[in-house]
Amino acid sequence: MKLWQSLYSMVWLCLFTLIAASLDVIPWKAPVHAALGLAVLGLAFRNRAALARSQAPARLKRISAATAFISVMAAVTGALMAVPPLHFLDVLWRVLHLCTIVAITTQAGSVATAYDMWEEKEFAPPA
């Protein structure tokens, strides 16, 4: 898969992860959401590594690295929601979990678009 395709795939994967978490009609909702979440985590680190090897601007590499580490936070908050003794903090874990996936989605979209424009040389030179 080309790098630009992988970067845009991250946005779609995040969308499907949010949908899986939101719809109660999905059978086995929690395992489906967890599997998609692990896929987000893996793809975030794959994209980070691929961008690091590329000649892409340093800003995209930094945003991609931040996205990868935010995906770790998403995985941790998701796991914390499943620990029964910590259910008294359930609202906190849910808010943090939702904030992380929204941050991942927005950063992934930003990096995908910026990389695509950089690769196609569709940017304006500084004035």
Side-chain angles (χ1 to χ4, degrees):
M1 179 183 307
K2 295 179 182 177
L3 181 52
W4 68 267
Q5 291 171 326
S6 181
L7 293 170
Y8 281 119
S9 295
M10 181 71 157
V11 178
W12 286 103
L13 186 58
C14 287
L15 174 68
F16 294 138
T17 304
L18 280 167
I19 290 171
S22 302
L23 296 179
D24 290 331
V25 296
I26 297 175
W28 309 294
K29 178 179 166 176
V32 168
H33 178 70
L36 289 171
L38 289 174
V40 167
L41 180 69
L43 190 56
F45 276 91
R46 179 191 182 279
N47 287 344
R48 174 183 166 248
L51 273 171
R53 289 188 306 269
S54 76
Q55 296 296 317
R59 176 177 293 171
L60 298 183
K61 294 175 184 182
R62 289 191 305 269
I63 296 170
S64 180
T67 303
F69 290 112
I70 292 171
S71 70
V72 171
M73 184 177 170
V76 168
T77 56
L80 288 172
M81 285 189 288
V83 178
L86 299 175
H87 275 238
F88 72 97
L89 294 172
D90 195 46
V91 172
L92 174 66
W93 304 141
R94 288 181 186 276
V95 168
L96 288 174
H97 194 65
L98 181 62
C99 287
T100 57
I101 196 66
V102 169
I104 292 166
T105 306
T106 56
Q107 288 183 316
S110 173
V111 169
T113 304
Y115 178 82
D116 197 13
M117 290 179 71
W118 171 79
E119 192 177 65
E120 297 294 322
K121 301 190 181 9
E122 294 177 358
F123 54 91

